[in-house]
Amino acid sequence: MDFEFIRDEENGLLNRRELDFVLTFEGATPSRRMILEKLCALQNVKERLVVLDSIKTSFGKQELTGYARIYEDEDSLKRVEPAHLVERTGAPEEEAEEAAEEA
């Protein structure tokens, strides 16, 4: 997987960075989890501070375009982002903790 960052802007009002990217890959389309892990490794940020908003593929191409937001802290993320986006992007550690709490 190769990332190319098209746009990287700072949004001071919402305490976040907004990224547009193009991801080229071979074989099957990577999962949201794989994209999130690679993005966080490249940007050197924690997974719980990143929200993958959209991922769009084109028929017949081995590339996708995406939009992500990287927050400075968890409070800013929870204040701004809709709950369903945070839940869909959620880190696996958080999911394991929630399952343990429910049991």
Side-chain angles (χ1 to χ4, degrees):
M1 286 192 300
D2 293 322
F3 273 89
E4 179 184 346
F5 296 101
I6 306 299
R7 183 177 66 97
D8 184 352
E9 290 186 5
E10 191 74 30
N11 186 332
L13 291 175
L14 298 175
N15 294 326
R16 70 184 184 192
R17 287 174 45 213
E18 299 170 352
L19 300 172
D20 286 324
F21 60 89
V22 174
L23 174 66
T24 56
F25 56 90
E26 292 185 21
T29 305
S31 67
R32 292 182 79 85
R33 168 75 22 223
M34 291 172 58
I35 296 169
L36 178 64
E37 289 171 358
K38 181 78 171 182
L39 177 66
C40 290
L42 289 173
Q43 295 294 318
N44 196 24
V45 294
K46 296 178 181 175
E47 290 183 13
R48 66 177 181 260
L49 298 177
V50 178
V51 173
L52 286 174
D53 189 345
S54 67
I55 298 172
K56 297 180 181 176
T57 59
S58 298
F59 181 77
K61 290 187 177 181
Q62 299 243 315
E63 74 177 27
L64 59 84
T65 58
Y67 175 62
R69 294 184 288 272
I70 303 173
Y71 285 86
E72 293 179 10
D73 54 54
E74 289 185 55
D75 293 334
S76 298
L77 181 138
K78 291 178 182 176
R79 182 174 39 97
V80 176
E81 289 296 329
H84 73 278
L85 279 180
V86 175
E87 196 173 302
R88 181 171 67 182
T89 307
E93 303 90 45
E94 294 173 3
E95 294 169 6
E97 289 173 7
E98 290 173 3
E101 290 174 1
E102 291 176 1

